[in-house]
Amino acid sequence: MKIGIIGGGVAGLFAAYHLVRAGQDVTLFESEKCGRGCSWNAAGMLAPINELEFQELPLLRAGMASRNLYGYLEKDLGDIGLKRNGTLEVALVPDDEGYLRRLFEFQVEQGLPVEWIPGHKIQEYDSFLNRNLPCAIWSPADWQVDNRKLVERLIAYLKENGSTIREDEKVILWKVREDEDGKSDRELVELVTDRGTCIVNRLVVAAGLGKFKHNSLPYKIYPVRGEMISLEVPRLPFLEKTVRIKNSALGNAYIVPKAGRILIGSTSEEKGFDASNTVGGMLDILRKCYAAVPGLYELSVRELWAGLRPSTLNRLPVCDREGGSPVYHLNGLYRHGILLSPLLGKAMSELILNGIRLPEIDSFRIG
């Protein structure tokens, strides 16, 4: 079966990965460079436990299942910077303790492996944390991956295993092809790009915020800007664990130490398609992260950027077939792209090849 995929972000790459592993003929179209949008700009946290909000149980179930796939991916793809070093979710000031306590109790109710850490014990988990932090939640089952290594290894795997990647080629429209009698052939889709045409048996639209001249998506997608900062790693030993920050006045933030860089972020701003870094965004990130880890003060800034996350109206991703057509959608992963894409790519492969909908994605429908 010949399958076309629109979108070379981590969602499209994982859909291609699972389909190629199943022996399918895959052609992936990317209007720019594969993996260089949100996937490149992410923090790479695999933190379904600490990503959990009170109304997000479907995301928790999917996130836990998807995180578990990373152990297999590491064996298949090679070095993807996978670190199983846990996450500390810290309250910044005493006023934040009530919210963090409610979150902890909710996590315990869900049977999650978490531990409550009083302020006087926080530095036992990482000595670079501010000794005045009032409390924290320790989540040893939250991991992280190097998202940039991940997309590079996925692209290499696809090329090595016979898939076709057509970068810098924009899909203008697609249509279900009609036969000579003018009747729709539900097994063929014609794609028109700025370079020509392509006929496929199935089409996966994983285009994020991409727009098309003659096709509209059967769901609403809008951008949420996230600003981030990359810092140089000091020569001496420094922070080892991922730190997520809760603050009722200033909002949330995170610090993610990786090999060769330390990521701090992020904002969550609905500012349309403006992907600019702002003074306010940088200030919000820096003051929260510095308050949690004062040692950041001496580090050199390596890189600044802003990305646009594709979100649906209910903040749940879409992994579904469009009616009875040969067109499928994998989109709207918002802030969960790196975490959820392995599972959603697998789910898309099962949906296309076997008509099976994995139970973990039951809530991720078009409508």
Side-chain angles (χ1 to χ4, degrees), residues 96-305:
D96 302 323
E97 184 171 348
Y99 175 81
L100 204 67
R101 175 66 74 173
R102 290 193 298 274
L103 180 60
F104 172 73
E105 291 171 352
F106 181 56
Q107 292 170 336
V108 171
E109 287 175 4
Q110 306 307 315
L112 300 174
V114 291
E115 181 182 349
W116 182 259
I117 309 300
H120 67 277
K121 289 190 174 183
I122 282 179
Q123 287 198 319
E124 295 178 13
Y125 286 78
D126 202 302
S127 61
F128 288 92
L129 288 164
N130 189 332
R131 66 176 65 250
N132 296 317
L133 295 173
C135 55
I137 300 171
W138 168 236
S139 304
D142 279 348
W143 305 344
Q144 64 154 298
V145 68
D146 189 315
N147 48 295
R148 295 184 176 182
K149 284 185 177 180
L150 175 66
V151 296
E152 288 173 343
R153 290 305 306 141
L154 281 168
I155 293 166
Y157 179 93
L158 294 175
K159 290 179 177 179
E160 291 165 3
N161 287 275
S163 63
T164 302
I165 297 179
R166 293 164 66 163
E167 294 183 311
D168 299 311
E169 184 168 357
K170 181 177 177 57
V171 174
I172 299 170
L173 62 91
W174 66 85
K175 57 185 177 181
V176 176
R177 195 172 185 184
E178 295 182 344
D179 61 20
E180 295 179 357
D181 297 327
K183 297 179 180 179
S184 294
D185 184 342
R186 307 300 265 180
E187 296 299 316
L188 294 177
V189 183
E190 181 179 358
L191 288 85
V192 179
T193 78
D194 54 5
R195 295 187 187 178
T197 61
C198 180
I199 305 297
V200 298
N201 301 105
R202 300 288 186 273
L203 174 65
V204 179
V205 181
L209 294 164
K211 296 182 179 179
F212 306 95
K213 188 173 182 180
H214 298 290
N215 296 93
S216 59
L217 301 179
Y219 45 87
K220 175 73 173 177
I221 290 283
Y222 69 98
V224 181
R225 183 172 67 192
E227 301 184 51
M228 289 183 64
I229 305 170
S230 176
L231 305 175
E232 296 287 354
V233 177
R235 294 181 180 178
L236 298 174
F238 194 61
L239 187 76
E240 294 183 353
K241 294 179 173 59
T242 297
V243 176
R244 296 171 63 95
I245 299 159
K246 295 286 188 186
N247 181 253
S248 56
L250 302 177
N252 304 332
Y254 52 73
I255 307 168
V256 188
K258 296 187 180 295
R261 59 193 177 123
I262 298 172
L263 302 182
I264 64 173
S266 170
T267 62
S268 185
E269 311 161 80
E270 297 182 15
K271 300 291 184 180
F273 285 85
D274 180 4
S276 303
N277 281 113
T278 65
V279 172
M282 298 295 98
L283 180 61
D284 282 349
I285 293 168
L286 288 167
R287 62 183 173 180
K288 286 178 283 191
C289 293
Y290 167 69
V293 181
L296 294 175
Y297 190 89
E298 300 292 338
L299 303 188
S300 299
V301 175
R302 175 177 177 170
E303 186 181 1
L304 308 173
W305 66 87

Side-chain angles (χ1 to χ4, degrees), residues 22-39:
Q24 303 306 306
D25 179 2
V26 173
T27 300
L28 188 148
F29 298 86
E30 168 53 48
S31 60
E32 297 179 1
K33 298 298 182 185
C34 284
R36 291 304 175 117
C38 284
S39 306

